[in-house]
Amino acid sequence: MLARIAHELYWLGRNLARAEFTARAVEAVFQAELQGTSERTPGVSFGSGGLLAMFGDVNQDPARPRAGEALGGHALDPLTLDPQRPGSMLASVERAREGARTVRDVISAEMWEAINTTTLGLRGGGQPGWAAPAGPYLASQYVKERTALIWGVANRSMLRDEAKCFLDAGGLIEISDMVLRMLRVALPTPGAHSPEGGVGSGARWPISDRSAPADGHALILLQAVGGFHAYLRAVTSPPNAHPVARFLLFERAYPDSVAACVDSLHEVFTSADAGPRNSKPVLRVSRLAADLDFQRRALPDGAELTGICEQTQQELARIDQDVAERYFAGAAAAGLRR
C-alpha cells in the first residue's frame, strides 16, 4: 500500500474516533451539569472546564464553570460546531471528510456517503434546537449516532486488508489517547507537573483542582466513553474514581479500555506489516501490552494511577512516531504529516 494512502486512512480513523469520543464526553458532561450531580455529591474533578482543558484550553479552569454557568454561557459550544477549534466535533468530521475524499477508491461508496452526509449536516447548522440551550447535547447525540453508523458501514463493507488495518489503528490509538487525557485531567496528583498534550498533538492542559477528593463518584467518566453498563457487569465495586480508572485502563473485555485498544493495535499492525518480527511499532506495542498486564496484576486496589496514565500516553506518542517513520515516510516527506 502507498504510504500516502495508509497515512490518510490512519488519520481518517483518528478523526472519526476523536469526533465520537468528543460527542460522548460532551453529552455526559452536559447531563451531569444539568442535573447538578457534581454539586450534590463528591466526585472526580471533570466537568465542562475539564473537558475543554483536555483539548488544550490552558486558560480554562477545569473546576469551573459550575452547572448554571455552563448552561447559561454555552461552555460546551466550542467543542460542538466551532470550525476554528481543532478539537470540535465539526472540525474533526471536516478533517475526516477531507481524508475520506482522497481515499474514495479504497473505502466503500456507502462509507463515503455516510461521512459526507454527516459533514454537510453539521456544516448547515444541524437540526432544529441546536441553537437552543440544549444545543451541545443534541449536536453530540447526532455525531455519536452518525460516527457509530460510519464505523458500522466500514466494518461491513471494507476488505479485511491493510487499508482496514490502518483505519482501525488510527481509531484505536486515538481512543486510547483520549481516555488517558480524560483520566489525567479527572484524577490529578498533588504536586504534579502540567501534563503534555495527546499523541501527536503537542497540546498542553492544566492540572485540575488539586484539592479534589482522591476518590468519589466517577459515573461521568464511564458515561463519557459509553462504558457505564459494561462497568456494572464487569466490576462489583461502586463506580468510584479508583475502580473506574482501573476499569478504563486495564479491563481487556471492554473494547475502549486502554489495554484492549493496545491489544487490538498489536493485532492490526501484525496483520498489516510484512515483517512484524522486525517492526519497531509492533515490538513497542507488544511491550506496552505486557507492561499494562503486569501493572494490572501487580498494583493493589487504590494505587495511584496518574503516573501510569502519563507513562502510557508517552509510550503511545512513541508508537505514533514509530508508525509515521515505518509506514508513512513518503507521506511525511510530501508534507502530509498532521
Side-chain angles (χ1 to χ4, degrees):
M1 173 174 287
L2 292 175
R4 177 182 61 83
I5 301 300
H7 178 268
E8 292 295 343
L9 287 165
Y10 177 80
W11 278 98
L12 172 58
R14 289 198 65 164
N15 284 313
L16 288 174
R18 176 172 293 202
E20 182 178 7
F21 182 93
T22 306
R24 290 185 180 277
V26 167
E27 182 181 36
V29 169
F30 188 92
Q31 287 181 326
E33 293 189 338
L34 181 66
Q35 298 166 3
T37 304
S38 59
E39 294 183 350
R40 290 200 304 267
T41 59
V44 297
S45 180
F46 190 75
S48 58
L51 187 55
L52 288 168
M54 274 182 57
F55 293 93
D57 191 339
V58 297
N59 296 317
Q60 180 69 46
D61 182 355
R64 293 177 175 78
R66 308 306 289 179
E69 294 172 344
L71 297 175
H74 301 283
L76 296 174
D77 282 349
L79 294 180
T80 55
L81 304 179
D82 185 352
Q84 304 303 319
R85 188 180 186 89
S88 72
M89 292 183 287
L90 175 57
S92 297
V93 172
E94 287 275 11
R95 290 193 301 270
R97 180 185 182 276
E98 183 61 25
R101 185 181 61 81
T102 64
V103 293
R104 286 186 62 178
D105 57 336
V106 178
I107 63 175
S108 66
E110 191 177 357
M111 183 178 175
W112 161 252
E113 290 171 1
I115 295 172
N116 191 46
T117 301
T118 303
T119 308
L120 295 178
L122 290 173
R123 278 183 187 173
Q127 308 299 320
W130 281 15
Y137 176 78
L138 296 176
S140 64
Q141 280 193 317
Y142 175 80
V143 173
K144 183 180 70 172
E145 292 169 359
R146 295 296 303 183
T147 50
L149 170 65
I150 293 167
W151 283 113
V153 169
N155 288 331
R156 296 296 299 273
S157 63
M158 289 185 67
L159 289 173
R160 300 297 191 267
D161 59 3
E162 293 94 336
K164 186 63 164 55
C165 287
F166 282 110
L167 177 71
D168 288 343
L172 290 166
I173 206 165
E174 186 69 26
I175 286 296
S176 302
D177 181 47
M178 287 291 180
V179 171
L180 291 166
R181 288 194 197 197
M182 180 180 68
L183 291 176
R184 291 181 67 191
V185 169
L187 305 173
T189 300
H193 297 289
S194 295
E196 293 187 359
V199 175
S201 70
R204 292 175 179 266
W205 67 91
I207 287 289
S208 52
D209 185 3
R210 299 181 190 275
S211 63
D215 205 2
H217 293 286
L219 289 177
I220 190 170
L221 302 184
L222 294 169
Q223 292 163 346
V225 297
F228 174 67
H229 293 289
Y231 177 89
L232 293 182
R233 293 191 61 188
V235 183
T236 57
S237 303
N240 293 331
H242 283 113
V244 166
R246 288 185 66 96
F247 175 81
L248 294 178
L249 278 173
F250 303 130
E251 181 51 72
R252 283 183 156 84
Y254 178 59
D256 280 356
S257 73
V258 175
C261 288
V262 170
D263 286 346
S264 297
L265 268 178
H266 184 267
E267 293 177 9
V268 297
F269 284 142
T270 301
S271 299
D273 201 303
R277 293 185 179 182
N278 300 315
S279 169
K280 196 172 180 179
V282 173
L283 295 175
R284 196 181 291 276
V285 170
S286 180
R287 287 196 298 269
L288 179 57
D291 287 344
L292 289 172
D293 187 56
F294 173 77
Q295 290 162 351
R296 177 183 64 85
R297 298 170 184 272
L299 286 175
D301 292 339
E304 191 272 322
L305 298 174
T306 308
I308 292 174
C309 292
E310 181 177 0
Q311 294 167 8
T312 304
Q313 194 170 32
Q314 290 172 352
E315 193 65 14
L316 283 173
R318 297 185 187 102
I319 291 169
D320 183 67
Q321 182 62 35
D322 291 342
V323 169
E325 292 174 357
R326 182 169 179 86
Y327 306 120
F328 309 147
L336 296 176
R337 288 282 298 278
R338 281 164 173 76

